[in-house]
Amino acid sequence: MSIFEKRRGTLVPVHPDNANTRDWLVLLEAATIVGQQRDKLRVALTTQDRKLVKKRRLFRKPEHFLVIDGYDPRIHALYFCPQLYKNENGSLVPLSGPEIGDLMAQALEGGAIEKPPWYEPRDSVPKDLVIKAAPNMELDSLVVDAPSAKPNKPAPLRAVKIDDKDK
């Protein structure tokens, strides 16, 4: 990228520890789904590919930014997640990005704030986060269970009465 080339996307500040990892990048979106039956959070993006920009200022530590198209701090929350695995028949199988995003959305749904899905154009960036973490919630040790599927129960067996005449 040259000096005069315009960057596409929004610069999102990230911690230097997360800048060069191969963790999954999960972008959650809140307050964008309307209707009766809805989830509070939606997975907007899951990827391991990222475009990183490093800004250096005189006598300061360099700042790291991710370039994300369409990022809006009013509705988006950005999370990093390591590769997760599920146990299938005694072997570990890696989860895909959308599956990881769905698990994170399910785990964080209780902290999503309720607000109308619209905002005025002149509104500034909100001071409150889109997802408020509970005081006892630590994402380093968050345990997520996969949604349990309803087990298929066999149909009840019917007693068949055989008459002696039919023989």
Side-chain angles (χ1 to χ4, degrees):
M1 182 183 294
S2 71
I3 297 173
F4 301 110
E5 187 177 332
K6 186 170 179 156
R7 250 183 249 115
R8 299 230 160 114
T10 307
L11 294 179
V12 181
V14 294
H15 194 274
D17 293 343
N18 291 329
N20 295 317
T21 63
R22 295 299 303 158
D23 290 343
W24 282 95
L25 177 73
V26 179
L27 186 67
L28 298 177
E29 199 171 71
T32 58
I33 303 171
V34 295
Q36 295 295 333
Q37 297 293 336
R38 64 183 178 91
D39 296 328
K40 290 183 181 180
L41 293 176
R42 180 180 83 82
V43 180
L45 172 74
T46 56
T47 184
Q48 285 183 320
D49 299 330
R50 58 193 74 177
K51 191 170 191 177
L52 188 67
V53 174
K54 189 186 292 188
K55 288 189 176 183
R56 292 187 170 94
R57 295 194 179 171
L58 193 61
F59 303 117
R60 288 190 187 174
K61 292 182 179 179
E63 298 177 83
H64 296 82
F65 297 91
L66 283 175
V67 179
I68 300 177
D69 291 332
Y71 179 82
D72 187 357
R74 292 176 263 204
I75 59 173
H76 289 124
L78 181 69
Y79 290 95
F80 293 91
C81 183
Q83 179 64 55
L84 300 178
Y85 297 90
K86 62 182 171 182
N87 190 357
E88 283 188 0
N89 301 328
S91 63
L92 294 178
V93 178
L95 292 176
S96 66
E99 289 175 321
I100 292 173
D102 290 339
L103 288 174
M104 289 191 68
Q106 173 192 351
L108 298 171
E109 190 171 339
I113 59 172
E114 285 289 333
K115 64 179 185 174
W118 59 86
Y119 48 85
E120 294 292 327
R122 66 181 180 272
D123 287 348
S124 63
V125 177
K127 293 182 174 97
D128 295 335
L129 298 175
V130 175
I131 301 171
K132 291 184 179 180
N136 59 354
M137 182 177 172
E138 291 186 25
L139 292 179
D140 291 343
S141 61
L142 182 65
V143 176
V144 178
D145 290 330
S148 60
K150 294 179 183 175
N152 292 334
K153 294 181 180 177
L157 297 175
R158 289 180 277 163
V160 178
K161 186 176 181 183
I162 301 175
D163 293 333
D164 292 334
K165 318 186 249 187
D166 292 339
K167 289 185 183 180

